[in-house]
Amino acid sequence: MNQTQSIDQAVVTAAVDATITSRRSIRAFTQQQVPRETIQEILQVASRAPSGTNTQPWKVYVLQGQSRQTLVDKVCAAHNALRANPALISEFQEAYDYYPEKWVSPYIDRRRENGWSLYGLLDIGKGDKDKMHFQHQRNFQFFDAPVGLMFTIDRIMGRGSMLDTGMFLQNVMLAARARGLHTCPQAAWNGFTSIILPHIGAGTDEMLLCGMALGYAAEADKVNSLHTPREPVTKFTRWLE
């Protein structure tokens, strides 16, 4: 390898690593619009994600302008109605279990740390249900991002297709970062499938996997100062020789 090739590889490595490590879930966006061409470019690059036997099971719905706002209004209204009458929960069921039925350590500990770190940053105390409800509803406003994405797969597909789509989702987020954009993947939308699928024109044979906010980060907003910790490699890796 000559010196030029070595330098080029170092540049590529640094760029890729910076893209990955600078990705974080943004919870406050500016109103700056994202050109359709940029979104299309991101999705095209992301489509290079691997999938079992090249099935490419993902489907993407892009919401901007009025279609985005109408969905926000519908789901926020449902979210408020659900708070007023918890019995309505039967109308808002998720298509699959994103979280476990029973939480155990260390996962519950990480979940609690994440939740209270966010709430502490926003001065939301334990038992402050109004503030909690407001902050949770920020999900259903795409955190003010001008672009909302919904991802589905056909129900007939197996669990492996969810893994495939997860890799596609990661590609979307990294391709966005490479273009100066930020994202927030959102499983919070999943409970409102009955509202979302008809709104986006998805068939009843499709299953909503998650939503995602896409746009430019409002860097000055304190909520975006949250950086969640990661476990060291030594804690999640076992070397076999």
Side-chain angles (χ1 to χ4, degrees):
M1 180 182 295
N2 61 41
Q3 186 176 9
T4 300
Q5 289 175 315
S6 179
I7 293 173
D8 288 348
Q9 183 57 58
V11 170
V12 170
T13 299
V16 172
D17 287 356
T19 300
I20 294 172
T21 57
S22 67
R23 188 219 63 80
R24 65 189 196 276
S25 293
I26 291 298
R27 294 179 174 86
F29 291 83
T30 72
Q31 295 300 298
Q32 183 178 347
Q33 296 299 306
V34 181
R36 179 170 179 167
E37 295 74 18
T38 300
I39 301 170
Q40 184 166 338
E41 190 176 82
I42 288 169
L43 296 176
Q44 189 65 60
V45 170
S47 73
R48 294 305 306 172
S51 58
T53 63
N54 200 33
T55 49
Q56 304 175 63
W58 45 79
K59 296 182 180 181
V60 186
Y61 296 86
V62 182
L63 296 107
Q64 296 175 280
Q66 191 56 52
S67 66
R68 173 202 168 281
Q69 188 57 49
T70 300
L71 181 63
V72 166
D73 293 342
K74 288 179 181 177
V75 175
C76 284
H79 184 233
N80 289 334
L82 186 57
R83 184 191 183 191
N85 182 11
L88 293 174
I89 192 62
S90 61
E91 298 179 17
F92 303 109
Q93 297 297 310
E94 298 181 357
Y96 69 97
D97 294 328
Y98 185 89
Y99 293 112
E101 291 185 9
K102 181 179 180 180
W103 286 95
V104 297
S105 291
Y107 313 111
I108 185 62
D109 307 312
R110 295 169 185 163
R111 176 181 172 87
R112 285 171 176 162
E113 179 186 21
N114 184 71
W116 290 119
S117 293
L118 176 62
Y119 283 179
L121 188 65
L122 299 176
D123 300 317
I124 301 175
K126 290 185 178 180
D128 195 336
K129 295 182 179 180
D130 288 339
K131 286 186 177 181
M132 289 180 181
H133 180 78
F134 173 82
Q135 182 57 35
H136 188 60
Q137 191 164 105
R138 293 284 292 145
N139 277 282
F140 310 127
Q141 299 163 352
F142 292 108
F143 300 109
D144 295 332
V147 181
L149 305 173
M150 292 292 164
F151 301 90
T152 73
I153 61 172
D154 285 335
R155 291 178 180 274
I156 198 172
M157 301 302 286
R159 292 184 180 181
S161 290
M162 297 174 73
L163 176 63
D164 296 340
T165 306
M167 291 186 278
F168 172 74
L169 288 166
Q170 180 74 352
N171 274 4
V172 170
M173 292 185 282
L174 296 182
R177 280 302 301 126
R179 290 159 177 78
L181 293 156
H182 273 285
T183 55
C184 185
Q186 302 169 274
W189 292 96
N190 293 1
F192 297 96
T193 294
S194 60
I195 296 173
I196 296 168
L197 293 185
H199 179 83
I200 62 178
T204 56
D205 57 344
E206 292 178 52
M207 178 172 70
L208 179 68
L209 290 187
C210 70
M212 183 183 292
L214 170 70
Y216 293 93
E219 296 289 359
D221 195 304
K222 66 179 179 179
V223 73
N224 288 332
S225 67
L226 179 67
H227 288 265
T228 54
R230 292 295 185 270
E231 296 292 336
V233 173
T234 53
K235 290 199 68 172
F236 60 77
T237 305
R238 182 180 179 185
W239 301 94
L240 304 173
E241 298 180 354

